[in-house]
């Protein structure tokens, strides 16, 4: 997606050969116009899949997931990372190792919001080693729902997550695919035919 790639080139900061900082438009400050375009793009790509729910992870997945939900006209559920006094329902839970925080979190979703009739689109901001996506997939499986695909804003294609998920036969749509962050430079995966 050209708009997202341009934003990454202009406002992203390479912190190391494996970490990209996008606090200026996704992870701290949010660009709502960009999020709207992202939502429309995912809605176009996944229209016709009969999506009934979008599942993401708090907090950075919420903005793009909400915009996608708006364009697909379906509810958005975000898995919670912290137990809360109000989250006292029956829960689906999964353990997720965080790439950026270098710690494990239990994520949880109430039984009230996903069931076996649902066709779920998982969304997240980054795809690195795939731990967050696998944790969300585990929740979809516990609910007996169908996974229709995974939408990712920024896939670091030099890490193993995308290949692992695609090898399982899962449709993964990434709006920007990064081939390398070496030498402080963002190199995107060349598009076939570009
Ligand atoms: P994974 O679970 O695929 O290893 O990593 C994905 C999760 O880690 C995302 O939810 C995202 O929050 C975080 N993440 C992974 N790599 C990066 C990165 O380069 N930059 C930022 N800002 N977050 C990342």
């Amino acid at each position: 997606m050209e708009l997202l790639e341009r934003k990454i080139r202009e406002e992203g900061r390479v912190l190391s050969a494996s970490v990209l900082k996008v606090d200026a438009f996704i992870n701290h400050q949010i660009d709502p116009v960009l999020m709207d375009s992202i939502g429309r793009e995912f809605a176009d790509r996944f229209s016709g899949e009969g999506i009934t729910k979008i599942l993401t992870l708090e907090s950075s997945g919420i903005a793009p997931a909400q915009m996608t939900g708006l364009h697909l006209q379906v509810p958005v559920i975000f898995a919670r990372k912290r137990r809360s006094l109000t989250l006292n329902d029956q829960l689906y839970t999964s353990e997720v190792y965080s790439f950026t925080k270098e710690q494990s979190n239990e994520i949880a979703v109430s039984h009230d919001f996903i069931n076996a009739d649902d066709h779920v689109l998982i969304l997240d901001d980054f795809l690195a080693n795939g731990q967050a996506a696998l944790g969300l997939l585990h929740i979809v499986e516990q609910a007996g729902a169908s996974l229709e695909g995974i939408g990712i804003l920024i896939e670091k294609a030099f890490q193993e997550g995308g290949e692992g998920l695609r090898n399982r036969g899962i449709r993964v749509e990434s709006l920007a695919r990064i081939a390398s962050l070496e030498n402080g430079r963002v190199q995107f995966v060349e598009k076939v035919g570009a």
Side-chain angles (χ1 to χ4, degrees), residues 18-20 27 99-100 124-132 156:
S18 63
V19 180
L20 176 68
N27 291 141
F99 178 79
T100 43
D124 203 9
D125 58 346
F126 274 87
L127 177 58
N129 294 319
Q131 295 302 304
K156 290 181 292 177

Side-chain angles (χ1 to χ4, degrees), residues 10 19 55 59-61 66 78 87 99 101 116 122 130 136 139 144 147 170 186:
E10 289 171 359
V19 180
L55 176 63
S59 51
S60 293
Q66 194 217 0
F78 59 96
L87 192 65
F99 178 79
K101 301 204 172 70
I122 288 175
L136 292 170
I139 283 176
L147 178 71
I170 297 170
V186 179

